[in-house]
Every structure is written in structure tokens, then in C-alpha cells.
């Protein structure tokens, strides 16, 4: 048994393996690109480390890609086989059980295994981050905050995971509307651990939600080292910067960030696709020509129509398919979402059903220029969109499409209500997008013609 950097005992036999395992733990906290290499070394040196196999499987399922599920299944089998060959701690076994629940499409139950770890070992930052990540995918922001605030008192100032804990706390505070506290926690997190990209990005979220784009740019300026080490999460931080430039009308900077950072690597990771599609959608809603940038996204998304791991991913694939006018692939995606919604096992069908089906139909209708239908479908999905997962800032693209479809359909009073609700969720702050839509509503009312709102 060896102790890791977070003070937890693990079924490891050699000090050299502990160093590699600590690389996995700290890498996971920092979204570091080198994390898989550390894990590979751990499993090479200690092939019967059940927890290592379980973590490999959990990393695979968190990728949200159907082709990774067989790899996760192999990892689960390896973990179970390892437990059969040597005893493990109760804590380590809980991670294996969490992976098994994930493989049964029950992440909502898997997260309870992480919480069980935290009840016995509150300073196990690995369980903290996995609970946080799972709740993020499930759209459970209140649960994220509760989980962290339960264990926060257990962390001493010198605990190796405290800075990362504060970064997660910052994000949970932001997602639950406590913007001032979120900014303080995020700044403190980055002060404690300079590579905490999650905490840095949580503060960027605060500025996004409160309509302070310039403050957001000022915050990110000169802090590139805090996310340069990251895996594809670095593209997401650049995406935040692009959103801020867009709100300030600095479209040349947005396009440059898109081409040289956000889509520097033409991956089909759903998180990268979501960054790109949501940014192009925002640009088009503002009336800007994005050229042929939809094409490569649509090609990649057309190959994911049968994926079905996450409704959040599917809806962003749909943005690409409708953005590039791919009706056949759009129909395939919609049919598969409807089929998945009718399954009666697991967590995924619940979200495919609501908000999935209505949101997907709304995006399809918007792409076809059927703005009244789009507004009806998207309005129906609005109340449960959080269940799709992701953040408020990420889901805002669907809010904007809802608002713009309503404007184009002349549904001014209903759109104004959504804008008011959006402002309330942002602590009274509004971005330039909202100001522009309110101006359109006012102009349409002054003209006495609700249909005078332009369709870009």
C-alpha cells in the first residue's frame, strides 16, 4: 500500500509507480494533456492495479464517444480481474462499482459511489473531481455545489488538491448564480495552483454571465500559461475569449481565434465540435458570413448521427448539420434521438426525451426557416435544457436561437419574457446580444408591425 499526493492509500507496490499515479491525479485536476501517458505507465508497471483500470474506464466514458465504450468495458473487466487476484480497499472498490454503473448507463447512480468515497475520505480529490465532472454532464449544478461545500472544511490550506477544489467550487458557484463568490474562489484557486485552467475558466464564465466582456478579456490576458498545458480543454478557453470579442463586435478577432485556436485541430471530439458550432451559430445570428467553415463540422457530425451518448453532443452535431444544410443527416439524427427517447433503461433516454426531442425538432425547423415552429419546439424544451448538461454559457446558443426564432416569427411578447428571464438568471446583467434584441423589439413595436423584425 502506498499513499498518493492527496493522502489516500492505494494498492501500489513500488515508489516509482506512486510518482506516475500522482501524475495521473494532478494531471486530471489540471486537464493536462500528459495525463494518459502517466496512466499508461502506471498500468504497465502495476497491471493488477484495479483502481488504475477503473480510472481508465471512467476517462473513456467521460469522452462521450460510442467507440470508446468497448475500451471502457475492457477496463472494467481488467479491474474486476485484478480485484480477483489481490485484495483492494473499500475505497478502490467503489471506483470500480462507479464504472460498472456508468457502463449500465446510470451515471446518476455512479455519482453516488463517488459521494460514498467522499463521505469516508473527504480529501480524496479524485472522487471530488469525478463527482463534479459527472454532475456537470448531468446538468446538476446544485449537486456540484453541495458536493464541494460538504467536503470543503476538511481541506487544510496545504492540501495538494485544495486549489483545484476551489476551482471546482468557483464553477459550481457561478453555475448556481453566486457570481461574486465564484470570482473570488476562482482567483484564489489560480493563485494556489497556477495550472488550474478550470478555475481560470470559471472566472471567465462569471464575466460572460454578467455581461462584462472587457473584464473577461482583461482576466484572460497574460494568463495563457494557465491553459497552454491542457488537453482539448484549451480550445474551450479560447472559445470563451472569442465569445467576449464577439460581444464587443470584434469579429476579426473572433474569426482569427476560430481558425488558429478553436479549430486549429480538426477533431471530432464533441466538446470541440460544440465550441465551434455554437460560435458559428452566434456569428450567423449576428448576420456575419462564416464562409465555408460549416462544411468540415458537418462532415464530422454526419458521421456521428448514430452515436447517442449525450444529448448535449447530439444537439451540437445538429447545429453543424443544419448550418451546412444536410437534410438527410439531420433526419437521421432526429430519428435516432426519437428512437433513443423510447428506450426504457438507463439515464440517457430520459434526456433524449426531454429536452432532446423538442430541442432537436426546434433546431431542424430553424434550419428550414420555419421560425414559428422552431420557437414553439425550442420554447417547450427551454425549461429542461439544463438536463442536457454543459454550462449556462454553452447552452446559451440554444437560448439565442429560441429568441431569434421568436423574433423572426413576430412573437415579441414571448421573446421579451425570455429576455427578462435570461437577465434575471444573470443577476440583472445583460450582454450586447440582449440589448440588440430589445432594440429590435422596440423598433418593431414602434412601427406597429411585429413582422418587421429582420431575419438575418
Amino acid at each position: 500500500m502506498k499513499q498518493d499526493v492527496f493522502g489516500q492509500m492505494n494498492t501500489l507496490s513500488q515508489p516509482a509507480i506512486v510518482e506516475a499515479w500522482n501524475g495521473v491525479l494532478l494531471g486530471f485536476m489540471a486537464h493536462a494533456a500528459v495525463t494518459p501517458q502517466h496512466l499508461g505507465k502506471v498500468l504497465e508497471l502495476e497491471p493488477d492495479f484495479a483502481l488504475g483500470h477503473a480510472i481508465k474506464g471512467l476517462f473513456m466514458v467521460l469522452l462521450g464517444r460510442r467507440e470508446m465504450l468497448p475500451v471502457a468495458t475492457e477496463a472494467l473487466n481488467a479491474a474486476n480481474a485484478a480485484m480477483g487476484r489481490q485484495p483492494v480497499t473499500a475505497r478502490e472498490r467503489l471506483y470500480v462499482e462507479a464504472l460498472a454503473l456508468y457502463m449500465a448507463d446510470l451515471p446518476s447512480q455512479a455519482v453516488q459511489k463517488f459521494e460514498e468515497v467522499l463521505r469516508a475520505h473527504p480529501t480524496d480529490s479524485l472522487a471530488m473531481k469525478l463527482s463534479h465532472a459527472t454532475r456537470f454532464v448531468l446538468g446538476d449544478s446544485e449537486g456540484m455545489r453541495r458536493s464541494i461545500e460538504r467536503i470543503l472544511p476538511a481541506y487544510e490550506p496545504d492540501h495538494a488538491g485544495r486549489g483545484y477544489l476551489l476551482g471546482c467550487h468557483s464553477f459550481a458557484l457561478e453555475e448556481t448564480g453566486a457570481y461574486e463568490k465564484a470570482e473570488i474562489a476562482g482567483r484564489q484557486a489560480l493563485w494556489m495552483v497556477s495550472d488550474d485552467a478550470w478555475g481560470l475558466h470559471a472566472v471567465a464564465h462569471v464575466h460572460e454571465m454578467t455581461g462584462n466582456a472587457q473584464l473577461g478579456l482583461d482576466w484572460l490576458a497574460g494568463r495563457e500559461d494557465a491553459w497552454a498545458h491542457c488537453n482539448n480543454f484549451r480550445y474551450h478557453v479560447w472559445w470563451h475569449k472569442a465569445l467576449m470579442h464577439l460581444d464587443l463586435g470584434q469579429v476579426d478577432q473572433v474569426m482569427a481565434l476560430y481558425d488558429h485556436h478553436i479549430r486549429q485541430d480538426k477533431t471530432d471530439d464533441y466538446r470541440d465540435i460544440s465550441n465551434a458550432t455554437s460560435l458559428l451559430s452566434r456569428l450567423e445570428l449576428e448576420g456575419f458570413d462564416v464562409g465555408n467553415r460549416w462544411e468540415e463540422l458537418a462532415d464530422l457530425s454526419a458521421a456521428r448521427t448514430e452515436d447517442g451518448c449525450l444529448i448535449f453532443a447530439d444537439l451540437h452535431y445538429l447545429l453543424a448539420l443544419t448550418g451546412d444544410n444536410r437534410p438527410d443527416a439531420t433526419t437521421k439524427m432526429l430519428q435516432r434521438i426519437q428512437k433513443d427517447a423510447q428506450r426504457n433503461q438507463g439515464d440517457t433516454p430520459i434526456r433524449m426525451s426531454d429536452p432532446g426531442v423538442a430541442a432537436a425538432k426546434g433546431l431542424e425547423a430553424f434550419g428550414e426557416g420555419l421560425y414559428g415552429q422552431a420557437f414553439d419546439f425550442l420554447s417547450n424544451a427551454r425549461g429542461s435544457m439544463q438536463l442536457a448538461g454543459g454550462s449556462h454559457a454553452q447552452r446559451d446558443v440554444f437560448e439565442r436561437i429560441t429568441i431569434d426564432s421568436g423574433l423572426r416569427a413576430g412573437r415579441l411578447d414571448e421573446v421579451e419574457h425570455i429576455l427578462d428571464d435570461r437577465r434575471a438568471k444573470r443577476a440583472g446583467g445583460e450582454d450586447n446580444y440582449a440589448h440588440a434584441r430589445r432594440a429590435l423589439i422596440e423598433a418593431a413595436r414602434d412601427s406597429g408591425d411585429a413582422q418587421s423584425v429582420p431575419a438575418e
Side-chain angles (χ1 to χ4, degrees), residues 55-65 68-69 71-73 75:
I55 294 306
K56 178 181 178 180
L58 288 165
F59 286 176
M60 292 299 104
V61 293
L62 284 169
L63 290 174
R65 298 166 64 86
M68 292 296 103
L69 296 183
V71 182
T73 298

Side-chain angles (χ1 to χ4, degrees), residues 303-379:
R304 314 296 305 183
T305 56
E306 298 304 311
D307 197 276
C309 287
L310 297 168
I311 187 60
F312 180 86
D314 287 344
L315 293 177
H316 285 90
Y317 297 144
L318 269 175
L319 288 180
L321 297 175
T322 57
D324 200 47
N325 190 26
R326 305 281 183 96
D328 292 344
T330 298
T331 298
K332 282 183 181 179
M333 177 71 80
L334 193 53
Q335 289 174 341
R336 203 225 68 242
I337 291 172
Q338 290 174 309
K339 182 180 177 182
D340 285 352
Q342 294 169 1
R343 296 203 325 258
N344 57 12
Q345 289 184 322
D347 290 341
T348 302
I350 298 169
R351 286 163 169 75
M352 291 289 175
S353 174
D354 182 22
V357 172
K361 287 182 176 179
L363 295 180
E364 180 187 41
F366 187 82
E368 294 175 351
L370 303 172
Y371 300 122
Q373 287 185 31
F375 185 70
D376 288 338
F377 281 125
L378 290 168
S379 296

Side-chain angles (χ1 to χ4, degrees), residues 190-436:
L190 203 65
W191 176 76
M192 293 189 72
V193 278
S194 61
D195 64 354
D196 182 27
W198 191 253
L200 170 126
H201 120 283
V203 176
H205 272 268
V206 171
H207 295 309
E208 160 72 17
M209 292 299 291
T210 54
N212 290 307
Q214 188 57 57
L215 287 177
L217 289 173
D218 294 344
W219 164 248
L220 293 175
R223 291 188 167 91
E224 288 81 6
D225 285 349
W227 74 87
H229 66 279
C230 287
N231 52 27
N232 64 319
F233 184 65
R234 68 185 185 276
Y235 307 135
H236 182 66
V237 183
W238 289 114
W239 174 81
H240 274 282
K241 192 170 184 178
L243 294 189
M244 296 163 186
H245 282 298
L246 179 59
D247 195 56
L248 296 172
Q250 298 163 350
V251 178
D252 288 346
Q253 289 94 320
V254 176
M255 294 299 192
L257 286 169
Y258 183 95
D259 292 336
H260 301 301
H261 292 288
I262 295 166
R263 288 306 284 171
Q264 176 186 21
D265 298 319
K266 303 294 193 288
T267 79
D268 68 344
D269 186 295
Y270 83 88
R271 293 161 296 190
D272 304 337
I273 296 289
S274 68
N275 292 332
T277 57
S278 66
L279 184 55
L280 294 187
S281 294
R282 285 169 164 87
L283 283 161
E284 289 196 336
L285 290 176
E286 297 305 317
F288 297 109
D289 182 0
V290 301
N292 64 354
R293 291 177 176 86
W294 280 119
E295 186 176 349
E296 62 101 3
L297 298 173
D299 287 343
L300 295 171
S301 297
R304 314 296 305 183
T305 56
E306 298 304 311
D307 197 276
C309 287
L310 297 168
I311 187 60
F312 180 86
D314 287 344
L315 293 177
H316 285 90
Y317 297 144
L318 269 175
L319 288 180
L321 297 175
T322 57
D324 200 47
N325 190 26
R326 305 281 183 96
D328 292 344
T330 298
T331 298
K332 282 183 181 179
M333 177 71 80
L334 193 53
Q335 289 174 341
R336 203 225 68 242
I337 291 172
Q338 290 174 309
K339 182 180 177 182
D340 285 352
Q342 294 169 1
R343 296 203 325 258
N344 57 12
Q345 289 184 322
D347 290 341
T348 302
I350 298 169
R351 286 163 169 75
M352 291 289 175
S353 174
D354 182 22
V357 172
K361 287 182 176 179
L363 295 180
E364 180 187 41
F366 187 82
E368 294 175 351
L370 303 172
Y371 300 122
Q373 287 185 31
F375 185 70
D376 288 338
F377 281 125
L378 290 168
S379 296
N380 287 337
R382 241 189 115 241
S384 54
M385 276 305 295
Q386 181 150 337
L387 295 178
S391 67
H392 291 304
Q394 287 175 308
R395 293 188 300 271
D396 191 52
V397 68
F398 305 116
E399 188 90 319
R400 291 178 183 220
I401 294 172
T402 305
I403 289 166
D404 276 39
S405 62
L407 286 173
R408 296 177 192 188
R411 310 275 280 275
L412 304 186
D413 291 345
E414 294 165 87
V415 169
E416 189 172 45
H417 176 75
I418 293 174
L419 285 168
D420 290 344
D421 186 52
R422 185 176 182 269
R423 179 172 59 193
K425 290 175 180 174
R426 292 165 176 254
E430 284 199 304
D431 48 21
N432 287 323
Y433 167 83
H435 290 310

